[in-house]
Structures are given as structure tokens and as C-alpha cells.
Amino acid sequence: MDVILIGPPGAGKGTQARWLVEALRAPQISTGDMLRAARKAGTELGRKADTFMNAGKLVPDEVVVGLVAERLHAPDCAGGFLLDGFPRTIPQAQALDAELARHGRKVQSVVAIEVPDEAIVRRLSGRRTCGTCNRIWHLEFDPPPSPATCSCGGALVHRDDDKEATIRNRLKVYHDQTSPLAEYYERQGVLRRVAGDGKPEEVRGRIFKELGLR
Ligand code: AMP
């Protein structure tokens, strides 16, 4: 079974993806992870992606499409895959359709995790990262011993990624470029909308029910 996960930043796609790959016994293809790995390895692709990622912008379609097209042909994807963070634009979705069609396949299930903007801002802007041990806390949902200090004694940092202005910018990019995908897949009859509020386990239950998984 092939599953595509879409949703705004902070919707919990990464967490749900981990549960889904276990249930589907299929590999997870996350363009965000692939781009971060390329950036860390200092490859040409990583350098190309770096400026866009730092600015909270989308990496150009042709870069990401090339990356995914190659990955989809790996033997471990023959029985299915879980796409997380791709497609993010209509041209990417069209490229994916074309790529799958070349192999006699098509998109089967698209799960859209829906979370209101204000909830996203609340979720992400409360995050604090320990500069020493890298543990991530949340001021409201998983509070550290004190707002500025980790349990290891390290100082907590409010990363630029987690600041309200950056989050609102990423949400704008999402609404402008990614949310039209819901309609695109609705027209293909493969879209399943799932409410993303509540605990991660509750969201998981809704997704699994939609997909007929246990
Ligand atoms: P993510 O971890 O999925 O939020 O991705 C982190 C960053 O990588 C995004 O803000 C984009 O700059 C870039 N990125 C990841 N996936 C894509 C994609 N499908 N298209 C364009 N840019 C992407």
C-alpha cells in the first residue's frame, strides 16, 4: 500500500509516519530528512537546498522531484512506500503521478492531517531545545524544570525555526503552495481528511481507521 501524508508544519507528520511504516512494513520517504542528510554531508544538492531551507522556503521542484524519483525505484519500494513531506506543490504531485504511471502504479491514499493555524503556532512556538543534550521540551505540554534550564542543567534555546514569525512564514508557504494539493487529490478520489487535534495516539487511531489498518 502506498500512503502520502500531507499537513502543515507541526501537524505531527513525522510521528505518524513512524507508526505508519511499522504497520505498512514499507519504507518512509521523507524529503525533509533526505535534504537535511544531503546538507549535512555537504553534497552539491545539499548546498543548493541549504539557502532555501534556511529561509523557510521550498526547495525548487526539480531538485526534490529528482531525489524522490530515484528513491521510488529502489527495490524496497516495490511493495509500497510512505511519503512524508512530498509532494508539497501541484507540479510535484503531477511529477509523482507521471513517475508512478511509468511503472503502472498510481497514488492510492493521501492522508491530510488538519490542524488550525493557531494550534500550530501554539505547538511550535512553545518548543525549547537544550543546547547541551539536545532534548526538546515544550513550555506548556512537556515543561522543563524551569523555562530556561534543562534537566541536565544545560541552557534552553528558542530555535529560530520555532519562533512565531518563522512559523507564520512557513504556514503561509503551506497555504499558498501545499494546501491546493488537498483539492487535487480530492478530485482523484484518494483524499482522506483526518483531524490532527488531541494526543498523537488519538490522531494515529483516526488515521489507522481511515486506512483500515490495525
Ligand atoms: P520538513 O522536514 O518536511 O518540514 O522539510 C524541511 C524543509 O525542507 C522545508 O522547509 C523545505 O525547505 C525543504 N523541503 C522538504 N520537502 C520538500 C519538498 N517536497 N519540496 C520542497 N522543499 C522541501
Side-chain angles (χ1 to χ4, degrees), residues 9 13 30-33 35-36 49 52-54 56-61 64 68 84-89 92 170:
K13 295 191 295 296
S30 155
T31 42
D33 286 351
L35 292 168
R36 275 185 289 275
F52 295 97
M53 293 172 80
N54 289 340
K57 289 187 180 154
L58 293 185
V59 173
D61 288 336
V64 196
V68 173
D84 151 28
F86 180 94
R88 280 265 229 299
T89 64
Q92 288 181 17
R170 290 176 70 200

Side-chain angles (χ1 to χ4, degrees), residues 53-54 124 127 158-163 166-167 170:
M53 293 172 80
N54 289 340
L124 295 182
R127 292 211 297 204
H158 193 191
R159 289 180 7 188
D160 280 346
D161 266 11
D162 298 331
K163 293 201 171 141
T166 317
I167 299 162
R170 290 176 70 200

Side-chain angles (χ1 to χ4, degrees), residues 29-199:
I29 305 177
S30 155
T31 42
D33 286 351
M34 288 162 99
L35 292 168
R36 275 185 289 275
R39 188 162 71 163
K40 204 168 163 199
T43 62
E44 196 194 328
L45 186 139
R47 281 197 297 276
K48 234 190 248 175
D50 187 56
T51 26
F52 295 97
M53 293 172 80
N54 289 340
K57 289 187 180 154
L58 293 185
V59 173
D61 288 336
E62 61 276 13
V63 175
V64 196
V65 166
L67 204 64
V68 173
E70 204 172 299
R71 182 68 186 87
L72 286 179
H73 298 313
D76 64 335
C77 290
F81 52 78
L82 174 84
L83 273 173
D84 151 28
F86 180 94
R88 280 265 229 299
T89 64
I90 297 282
Q92 288 181 17
Q94 289 166 334
L96 176 65
D97 283 348
E99 195 58 40
L100 290 175
R102 288 205 307 133
H103 293 261
R105 293 165 76 163
K106 59 183 191 167
V107 169
Q108 295 169 343
S109 306
V110 178
V111 174
I113 306 180
E114 301 185 319
V115 185
D117 283 7
E118 290 319 309
I120 296 285
V121 172
R122 206 164 134 210
R123 274 188 196 181
L124 295 182
S125 65
R127 292 211 297 204
R128 294 293 181 274
T129 309
C130 176
T132 306
C133 73
N134 288 325
R135 188 193 191 290
I136 297 173
W137 300 88
H138 193 286
L139 295 181
E140 197 179 336
F141 309 125
D142 180 19
S146 95
T149 318
C150 181
S151 54
C152 82
L156 296 180
V157 183
H158 193 191
R159 289 180 7 188
D160 280 346
D161 266 11
D162 298 331
K163 293 201 171 141
E164 183 165 343
T166 317
I167 299 162
R168 296 226 179 253
N169 182 41
R170 290 176 70 200
L171 281 171
K172 182 173 181 334
V173 170
Y174 178 78
H175 289 303
D176 289 348
Q177 304 194 57
T178 307
S179 54
L181 286 178
E183 204 182 303
Y184 179 86
Y185 286 122
E186 192 139 57
R187 263 187 268 124
Q188 291 190 12
V190 292
L191 185 75
R192 294 145 198 268
R193 296 179 190 270
V194 171
D197 60 321
K199 292 202 180 82

